[in-house]
Amino acid sequence: GLVESSCRSRIFWMKLNKLLLQGKFFQLEIYDPYSGPVLLDEKLASRCGYVLSEDVWGNPIFRASVLGCHVANEADELFSLTVNIKVSSFASMRAAVTYTYPMYCSYASWASREIVCEENYMEVSVKTDVPAVSNDYTVAWMSALPETQNVAYQQWQLMFVSPSGRKRITVSDAVKLGYSFNNSLSRVYLRAPYHSNESDISVVSGVNMNMITSTSMYRQRWLLLLIDTTVSCPVDGISFTDTMLTWTVPRVVPTLVVQESTFQSKSIVMGVDDQVIVNPEEMNYLLEYNETHIRITIPTGAEGGKLQSSISGGVYGVTYCIDLFLEHTWTDADWQTTKYTIIKSITTPFMPQIPTVINNTVPEERLFNVAFGHFLPDVSLVAITVGNVPFSLREAQHHGFKIYETPFSNGTKAFILEVSFDDPYVLKEYVNRNETKYTLLVNYTLSVGPEMTLYYHATEVECVIADIEVPDAVGSCDEENLYLTLPTFGLHQYWDLYLGNKLLNRHLALTNGYLAATNSTHLILQIPLFAGGLVYEEVSFQKIKARFDVALRKVRTMETLQMFSISCSFNSSAFIICHPDGTIMVSAQMKTIPAIDMSKTKLRDSSCKPREYNEAHAFFKFHVTTCGTSVRFEGDHIIYENEISYEKETLPGQSTPTITRDPDYRLKVLCYYQAKETLVLGAFSRDPATSPPFGSGTMFPRSNTAAYRRVRQALNVVSRVSKDESFMEFYGPSMAILKQPMEPVFLEVELKDESPSVELYLENCWVATSPDFNNTPRWNITVDG
């Protein structure tokens, strides 16, 4: 139903069901038997002994003292109060539905003095048959006696004693100040708000107490009644740790116990909400006391209270709330029995809780399993963003993500997200040799607490698995070609083929004369014997041993994973090979009739004879700078030209042949080089006995400035050391570079002169340990061109 009620000691308790009030507005009216309904507001509540608040679960709670303003009192034993509950769908409360709810309470076991410390008021009630004036201990009372001479006849008046002095007022004036004073058949009571002008703060055993020292006075004929209506209530005494809250109150309040030597505690009980806790230890509560203090310790999150999620400064955290009461009954010589009740609603400070992301992914299943928690039940997942794509929960489920909650034994929960490695929104990166790094970027959107505050949390989860097979190539040869066959899987996605430092793409293949064909699984590369990019390991007119090398490199890092090499021997009768270092090898075939003596063939420089020959072939090997080789520039190419000719027989004594059977034999030799070319050469120490291994030590790259030029050098030549074989990023001048043994060095030498008649030849190039030209040891790169 809408309402639950109970009577705890001398307090009416009423709880409204928040679920039935969801989305609605409500008001409470207190029914006055004489004047009708009175709207409950804060001022009326504190003056008349009412409290309207919420319990830790968010249900509205109404409490009322049985001595409240509008409570019907029958002989100080039976009490009744009627409350109107008005419910409306509108903030203006129009079209409200009114529910009338009567409450009843039976309470006859009154103590001589009863004090209630509520959230918004303090109340003291005293039996009127208690002796009015104490003995000599009550000095303040004795000083108040002269004031009684002015007490009006048959009228209650109040006198307040505070550090500023004494104030005597009528009951009607006290009501204007927020007090409530009245008497019943057998009792007189005073109700006061906290921190009024007539109150004072005193410290008792380290706890601040709000105290009102007052005397209620009544005069009738020969009777003068003085009643001590002093009241004192704690206003702090709460402390917190990360795991506990502690509530401390003084065991003895001096203003309430004048003769402390006669003080004796009769019972100390605690409760939660409106229920007494008989065995606190069963709920992990600790109720303890000594001569000076009563202390209640509650573990954070203990049963009876509630943990609640909230957001503070964009940080997720929790608070813990619990509604406690403490009832202390004691006796002393002045008051016989006092029942002292404190009702306290306690909320801890905000406690940040950093959510944790647990990666439960099992790589073999190729499925991310991510747990995000721990959260209280008042937190719900409303949306996620994967990568940069937002999804509502319905959209996420429809896409194929699996989202569900998993509970834990401590009452918290986690949100589980499952995403396939193959999902398009999962980032994939090829790493190491044969592994893929899968990265899941998730941004969670949560609704937190009863205010449903949105909270965002981004996380990144990675998983690396070996799920890539590095391809193996197969090589073969026929009479005129070399063939390389390798799988196309991963090609251009994870790795590329490189010929030296150049990407082996379609353009380079066409330029070098390769033929490429692909099917559904493999790439087949056909390399003709005299195509560009081949390495000729052995060349003679009898055979050619050629090798084709390609490197398998990662697309992103250019790291070489594997080298593929095909080496074959070929029979070839006629050929010309132009090496990158300027060496030209030519096998000339005799095709004349009648036949000539191939041993007598020569180059333009007649001293350049064949290295090998037989009846049908002559084999020449020379450098582009020797044997009369000429050079010219055409576009982006340098063309070197020579000629093989036959030296005819002459008659004895005659310099010019006049009669000969030898035919003319001329074979033009042309080699084309690109004007800019990158060469990879080895460097060797010229004094290996005294030199450290190549690569150890420090090198100093420098521009070829005038300060270091030899006198004979007038060309504008610049040399640089590249950081890698891409020749895109270079070390700065005079920067120390440390190289390990067998680690390559990438050197670039550039001629800055733009004159078309000037060429660059590296005659001598070496590496040394200092800029001095004569420094030793040295590591040669080129010697005599």
Side-chain angles (χ1 to χ4, degrees):
L2 175 62
V3 182
E4 294 180 18
S5 65
S6 64
C7 178
R8 160 66 194 146
S9 185
R10 52 191 298 279
I11 303 292
F12 291 103
W13 295 69
M14 182 176 73
K15 179 171 72 174
L16 304 182
N17 191 331
K18 70 173 183 179
L19 297 178
L20 299 180
L21 294 174
Q22 198 165 17
K24 298 183 183 300
F25 302 89
F26 78 95
Q27 289 178 346
L28 293 186
E29 292 178 338
I30 309 301
Y31 184 77
D32 188 326
Y34 304 101
S35 60
V38 180
L39 182 64
L40 178 64
D41 58 22
E42 290 184 7
K43 188 175 181 180
L44 178 71
S46 63
R47 184 174 62 84
C48 286
Y50 307 137
V51 175
L52 180 60
S53 62
E54 286 187 353
D55 66 10
V56 297
W57 311 106
N59 298 297
I61 297 294
F62 172 72
R63 290 192 299 270
S65 168
V66 295
L67 299 176
C69 298
H70 308 96
V71 176
N73 183 342
E74 296 183 18
D76 286 337
E77 292 184 0
L78 297 176
F79 306 90
S80 62
L81 177 66
T82 300
V83 178
N84 289 337
I85 306 165
K86 301 181 69 174
V87 181
S88 173
S89 299
F90 307 96
S92 63
M93 297 303 296
R94 62 185 177 90
V97 177
T98 301
Y99 301 91
T100 300
Y101 192 81
M103 293 186 290
Y104 304 93
C105 197
S106 174
Y107 184 67
S109 57
W110 289 95
S112 300
R113 177 176 61 175
E114 296 205 4
I115 296 174
V116 175
C117 300
E118 255 286 10
E119 293 184 31
N120 59 342
Y121 68 86
M122 303 180 289
E123 181 183 272
V124 54
S125 71
V126 180
K127 277 187 178 182
T128 52
D129 59 355
V130 174
V133 178
S134 182
N135 55 23
D136 294 339
Y137 289 97
T138 57
V139 178
W141 276 55
M142 299 304 294
S143 65
L145 285 177
E147 298 289 335
T148 64
Q149 303 301 320
N150 300 319
V151 174
Y153 185 68
Q154 290 187 336
Q155 184 177 358
W156 284 99
Q157 291 189 10
L158 302 174
M159 187 179 68
F160 295 100
V161 180
S162 66
S164 61
R166 292 190 295 272
K167 180 190 294 186
R168 180 170 54 83
I169 59 175
T170 64
V171 172
S172 58
D173 289 336
V175 170
K176 296 176 183 178
L177 297 176
Y179 296 94
S180 180
F181 176 86
N182 210 336
N183 65 307
S184 62
L185 181 65
S186 61
R187 303 189 74 80
V188 170
Y189 59 87
L190 173 69
R191 190 177 304 111
Y194 286 93
H195 307 295
S196 65
N197 291 334
E198 294 73 34
S199 68
D200 187 26
I201 296 293
S202 63
V203 179
V204 180
S205 300
V207 178
N208 287 323
M209 305 290 291
N210 193 210
M211 176 181 65
I212 294 179
T213 303
S214 65
T215 303
S216 302
M217 300 177 291
Y218 183 80
R219 181 181 179 188
Q220 184 178 8
R221 293 184 182 179
W222 52 266
L223 173 66
L224 177 61
L225 184 62
L226 300 180
I227 299 178
D228 183 3
T229 48
T230 296
V231 62
S232 183
C233 289
V235 292
D236 57 16
I238 309 296
S239 61
F240 306 95
T241 67
D242 291 340
T243 58
M244 297 284 183
L245 67 86
T246 302
W247 180 24
T248 303
V249 297
R251 187 181 182 196
V252 180
V253 182
T255 55
L256 301 179
V257 181
V258 178
Q259 301 183 65
E260 292 189 29
S261 61
T262 64
F263 172 87
Q264 186 175 1
S265 289
K266 291 299 182 179
S267 71
I268 300 175
V269 297
M270 66 166 291
V272 176
D273 296 326
D274 61 344
Q275 300 297 315
V276 173
I277 306 300
V278 178
N279 297 307
E281 62 278 0
E282 292 181 359
M283 302 179 69
N284 292 322
Y285 302 158
L286 179 62
L287 173 61
E288 55 185 347
Y289 52 88
N290 54 28
E291 293 298 321
T292 58
H293 293 90
I294 301 172
R295 183 173 291 113
I296 297 175
T297 303
I298 308 290
T300 302
E303 182 184 354
K306 180 187 179 185
L307 283 167
Q308 181 170 294
S309 303
S310 61
I311 302 297
S312 177
V315 177
Y316 171 78
V318 299
T319 56
Y320 176 70
C321 311
I322 189 167
D323 294 331
L324 299 175
F325 72 81
L326 175 68
E327 192 172 272
H328 181 197
T329 303
W330 73 78
T331 61
D332 63 80
D334 291 315
W335 286 99
Q336 297 177 14
T337 304
T338 297
K339 182 183 286 187
Y340 188 75
T341 303
I342 312 171
I343 300 175
K344 195 77 170 178
S345 180
I346 302 175
T347 300
T348 66
F350 177 80
M351 297 177 286
Q353 305 282 316
I354 306 301
T356 58
V357 176
I358 302 174
N359 185 3
N360 296 320
T361 300
V362 180
E364 293 76 12
E365 298 178 0
R366 297 185 61 81
L367 189 72
F368 281 110
N369 183 294
V370 183
F372 181 43
H374 294 60
F375 295 104
L376 298 176
D378 60 358
V379 176
S380 59
L381 180 64
V382 296
I384 61 171
T385 297
V386 178
N388 293 318
V389 182
F391 294 91
S392 67
L393 294 189
R394 177 173 293 183
E395 291 170 341
Q397 299 282 8
H398 184 264
H399 176 78
F401 302 147
K402 189 175 180 181
I403 303 174
Y404 56 94
E405 294 182 4
T406 182
F408 299 106
S409 58
N410 62 357
T412 62
K413 64 181 178 180
F415 302 103
I416 308 299
L417 172 64
E418 293 184 357
V419 179
S420 170
F421 285 2
D422 301 314
D423 189 273
Y425 298 116
V426 172
L427 302 181
K428 304 167 184 66
E429 181 185 0
Y430 172 51
V431 295
N432 303 323
R433 179 176 177 82
N434 63 336
E435 296 175 328
T436 304
K437 180 171 73 174
Y438 297 92
T439 304
L440 179 65
L441 302 177
V442 184
N443 195 343
Y444 295 90
T445 302
L446 303 174
S447 174
V448 177
E451 296 84 8
M452 293 187 289
T453 306
L454 292 183
Y455 170 70
Y456 306 93
H457 185 90
T459 189
E460 178 177 324
V461 182
E462 295 180 351
C463 185
V464 178
I465 59 174
D467 58 355
I468 295 178
E469 184 178 350
V470 178
D472 283 327
V474 177
S476 61
C477 300
D478 60 18
E479 293 179 355
E480 297 180 348
N481 302 280
L482 297 90
Y483 297 90
L484 180 72
T485 303
L486 75 159
T488 54
F489 169 77
L491 198 59
H492 309 311
Q493 178 185 2
Y494 301 130
W495 42 67
D496 281 318
L497 291 176
Y498 275 78
L499 182 63
N501 295 319
K502 295 181 180 179
L503 175 65
L504 183 53
N505 53 21
R506 183 177 297 275
H507 174 73
L508 182 61
L510 291 174
T511 301
N512 285 358
Y514 308 155
L515 296 177
T518 58
N519 56 28
S520 59
T521 59
H522 286 80
L523 165 69
I524 303 171
L525 197 62
Q526 177 182 333
I527 306 101
L529 173 60
F530 297 109
L534 286 170
V535 177
Y536 299 96
E537 298 177 308
E538 182 182 343
V539 179
S540 68
F541 61 82
Q542 296 176 341
K543 71 172 183 177
I544 298 175
K545 187 177 182 181
R547 189 181 79 242
F548 181 68
D549 299 325
V550 289
L552 189 71
R553 293 183 180 176
K554 289 184 179 180
V555 170
R556 286 190 58 212
T557 65
M558 299 278 290
E559 176 189 350
T560 299
L561 294 174
Q562 202 155 322
M563 291 294 301
F564 301 132
S565 294
I566 316 164
S567 181
C568 295
S569 296
F570 298 88
N571 295 321
S572 182
S573 56
F575 58 84
I576 177 172
I577 298 174
C578 306
H579 277 277
D581 63 358
T583 301
I584 300 176
M585 292 181 288
V586 182
S587 176
Q589 187 176 11
M590 191 275 292
K591 291 186 177 180
T592 61
I593 299 176
I596 60 174
D597 184 357
M598 296 302 288
S599 66
K600 295 181 180 181
T601 55
K602 63 180 180 62
L603 297 175
R604 284 178 180 169
D605 184 342
S606 59
S607 65
C608 294
K609 301 289 186 178
R611 299 248 181 140
E612 297 180 54
Y613 57 87
N614 59 18
E615 294 178 355
H617 298 86
F619 176 70
F620 292 87
K621 182 178 181 181
F622 59 96
H623 195 269
V624 294
T625 58
T626 61
C627 296
T629 307
S630 62
V631 62
R632 68 177 186 271
F633 292 86
E634 285 188 9
D636 293 335
H637 288 80
I638 304 173
I639 302 174
Y640 294 95
E641 180 178 329
N642 211 316
E643 185 180 72
I644 300 172
S645 61
Y646 172 65
E647 188 176 342
K648 295 183 179 182
E649 293 285 346
T650 58
L651 296 175
Q654 296 181 9
S655 60
T656 303
T658 55
I659 299 173
T660 178
R661 295 179 62 255
D662 295 337
D664 280 334
Y665 182 88
R666 293 184 182 278
L667 179 64
K668 187 174 288 188
V669 178
L670 297 174
C671 275
Y672 291 76
Y673 289 90
Q674 289 185 352
K676 248 189 173 181
E677 189 76 26
T678 300
L679 304 181
V680 180
L681 303 172
F684 303 94
S685 171
R686 68 182 183 185
D687 188 7
T690 60
S691 302
F694 174 68
S696 62
T698 305
M699 297 182 298
F700 300 88
R702 58 180 172 82
S703 298
N704 196 4
T705 58
Y708 297 106
R709 290 178 182 168
R710 294 184 179 183
V711 175
R712 66 176 182 173
Q713 184 173 6
L715 297 178
N716 185 10
V717 178
V718 176
S719 65
R720 298 185 295 177
V721 177
S722 173
K723 292 185 177 181
D724 55 36
E725 54 197 12
S726 65
F727 287 88
M728 299 295 290
E729 199 173 350
F730 295 86
Y731 293 103
S734 302
M735 181 185 294
I737 308 166
L738 181 64
K739 291 291 181 178
Q740 300 299 323
M742 303 308 294
E743 187 176 356
V745 178
F746 303 99
L747 178 66
E748 177 187 84
V749 182
E750 183 178 4
L751 174 64
K752 290 293 188 180
D753 296 74
E754 298 182 355
S755 172
S757 62
V758 178
E759 306 177 42
L760 174 65
Y761 294 97
L762 286 182
E763 180 181 7
N764 292 290
C765 183
W766 69 92
V767 178
T769 57
S770 79
D772 184 2
F773 277 100
N774 298 316
N775 179 266
T776 58
R778 68 163 58 181
W779 291 266
N780 292 319
I781 296 177
T782 61
V783 179
D784 294 332

